[in-house]
Amino acid sequence: MFMRSIAATMAATLAAGAASAETTIRIAHATPESSPIHQALEFFKAELETRSDGGMQVEIFPGGQIGSVQQATELVQSGNIDMTTGASVLLSSMVPELSVLDQFLLFENEEQAHAVLDGPAGQELLSKMEDKGLKGMGFMELGFRHFSNSRAPLDSVEAFRGLRMRSADNPIQITAWRSVGAVPVALSWGEIYPSLQQNLIDGQESAPSSIVIERFYEVQDYVSLTGHIYWPEMWVAGLDFYNGLTDEQRALLDEVAAETVTRQRELAAKANADALAELESKGLQVNELPQEARAALGETMNAAIRDDIRAAVGPEFYDSFMTELD
């Protein structure tokens, strides 16, 4: 039912946009226009349109106006739109190999994450998407995830016990948080703010820039720098759409896409640094989870999910990916 209704809506919404350009690329995503993701896609639009002399046009539909991450991805698969973005954890039910990224403390810093994801291991991950009708354009990011909550500073593993927190609707993540005594509640991104406001949950975990962009600081008192996980934002296109381009169009698209990923990561790094300063200026109490506690948190959570992840991605792929971290 959703696919029929959204297809009809898309047909009406996009009829005028198909205009006179040789190729019109329709991109939908769930983040606000102020996000580094949208800003980077605006860069992609400007560069692609200019460098193709107008032969390739880009239309962007931000803020979830076309649907959730999963819904937009289905629309890419069906050809109703051409590109979307979404956190890897939200796409792992569709592409199981992405579950390898659900491990905690997998990367020590952004530089290591970029090296692995831009290298052979990351390219193999992207190739796994093709069986699902998707072409991986690259790994954007929001950065390492930290916690905000309204209960108390998270300064030990014990502090997570009883914490009612928003979790992605992902069984592996839910299992991991339960292993440290947290109470994960599966909510869509748009449900987080009202749930915090109504005290249905105590806190949530995201990049600092998201805490500012989504105004979570209005209903939270504490920010704890846990850096517990790095989730890339997958940028995907429809495989049929991609293969239907000319060789010249694909070459230009790939070139501009690579530049866009680099630009997006720069925007995300600046947004997160600025966000931390802004959160402190707004009176939120910011603390850093001690390294010993952070290591213990990761060890407990990874022990709870390791077998599930190996089963989801396959032992051979798991071992191959993990060797890239050495």
Side-chain angles (χ1 to χ4, degrees):
M1 182 66 180
F2 167 77
M3 289 299 294
R4 290 198 299 271
S5 62
I6 198 68
T9 301
M10 287 296 298
T13 302
L14 301 174
S20 59
E22 291 180 20
T23 299
T24 299
I25 302 173
R26 300 155 299 176
I27 309 175
H29 65 88
T31 66
E33 293 183 38
S34 56
S35 73
I37 290 168
H38 182 77
Q39 293 168 11
L41 291 174
E42 289 284 6
F43 168 84
F44 173 75
K45 170 182 169 67
E47 289 296 310
L48 193 64
E49 290 179 352
T50 298
R51 286 148 70 171
S52 68
D53 294 324
M56 300 180 79
Q57 295 288 310
V58 177
E59 296 180 350
I60 306 173
F61 301 87
Q65 60 183 272
I66 303 300
S68 67
V69 170
Q70 289 90 341
Q71 290 165 343
T73 305
E74 291 173 10
L75 290 169
V76 170
Q77 290 175 302
S78 66
N80 285 291
I81 58 176
D82 304 306
M83 289 182 173
T84 191
T85 74
S88 60
V89 70
L90 297 177
L91 300 179
S92 57
S93 60
M94 183 181 299
V95 184
E97 288 83 2
L98 292 176
S99 298
V100 75
L101 301 174
D102 292 350
Q103 298 175 89
F104 295 81
L105 307 183
L106 185 65
F107 302 116
E108 293 185 10
N109 49 50
E110 285 88 350
E111 291 74 21
Q112 183 191 22
H114 298 165
V116 172
L117 295 177
D118 294 342
Q123 293 310 301
E124 186 174 1
L125 260 183
L126 292 180
S127 71
K128 298 295 183 183
M129 310 190 84
E130 297 189 7
D131 289 340
K132 306 299 181 180
L134 300 170
K135 169 66 178 178
M137 301 304 300
F139 296 92
M140 293 185 177
E141 70 179 10
L142 291 177
F144 281 89
R145 299 174 76 86
H146 306 284
F147 262 92
S148 70
N149 83 98
S150 58
R151 195 175 71 167
L154 300 175
D155 54 8
S156 66
V157 176
E158 291 71 26
F160 287 86
R161 295 191 178 280
L163 182 74
R164 295 171 302 162
M165 56 163 287
R166 180 264 178 174
S167 170
D169 188 8
N170 176 290
I172 288 176
Q173 293 294 307
I174 290 171
T175 296
W177 287 117
R178 285 176 176 167
S179 74
V180 293
V183 183
V185 179
L187 297 171
S188 67
W189 187 252
E191 295 176 299
I192 299 176
Y193 187 97
S195 297
L196 292 170
Q197 189 176 41
Q198 298 167 33
N199 294 317
L200 299 176
I201 56 174
D202 302 311
Q204 62 82 46
E205 40 99 37
S206 63
S209 60
S210 296
I211 299 175
V212 171
I213 290 169
E214 301 293 341
R215 305 181 71 87
F216 294 151
Y217 57 79
E218 295 179 342
V219 287
Q220 300 278 261
D221 300 308
Y222 306 97
V223 174
S224 298
L225 304 180
T226 52
H228 53 276
I229 199 165
Y230 174 94
W231 280 346
E233 182 84 1
M234 310 298 298
W235 184 13
V236 298
L239 187 61
D240 288 344
F241 154 77
Y242 182 84
N243 288 338
L245 298 174
T246 66
D247 291 344
E248 293 77 12
Q249 286 176 322
R250 276 196 300 273
L252 179 59
L253 186 73
D254 289 345
E255 178 181 306
V256 178
E259 295 172 12
T260 300
V261 168
T262 299
R263 172 65 65 91
Q264 193 279 331
R265 290 170 177 175
E266 293 169 351
L267 290 168
K270 183 178 187 305
N272 284 325
D274 292 346
L276 280 177
E278 184 172 350
L279 291 170
E280 288 186 307
S281 73
K282 291 184 179 299
L284 276 73
Q285 182 176 327
V286 178
N287 74 286
E288 190 163 352
L289 183 67
Q291 184 60 36
E292 184 177 345
R294 185 170 173 267
L297 187 78
E299 183 177 347
T300 299
M301 296 173 78
N302 284 331
I305 62 177
R306 187 171 292 112
D307 289 346
D308 290 338
I309 289 178
R310 285 181 63 87
V313 308
E316 184 177 345
F317 178 83
Y318 179 88
D319 292 340
S320 173
F321 186 91
M322 295 304 289
T323 58
E324 295 292 324
L325 300 178
D326 296 336

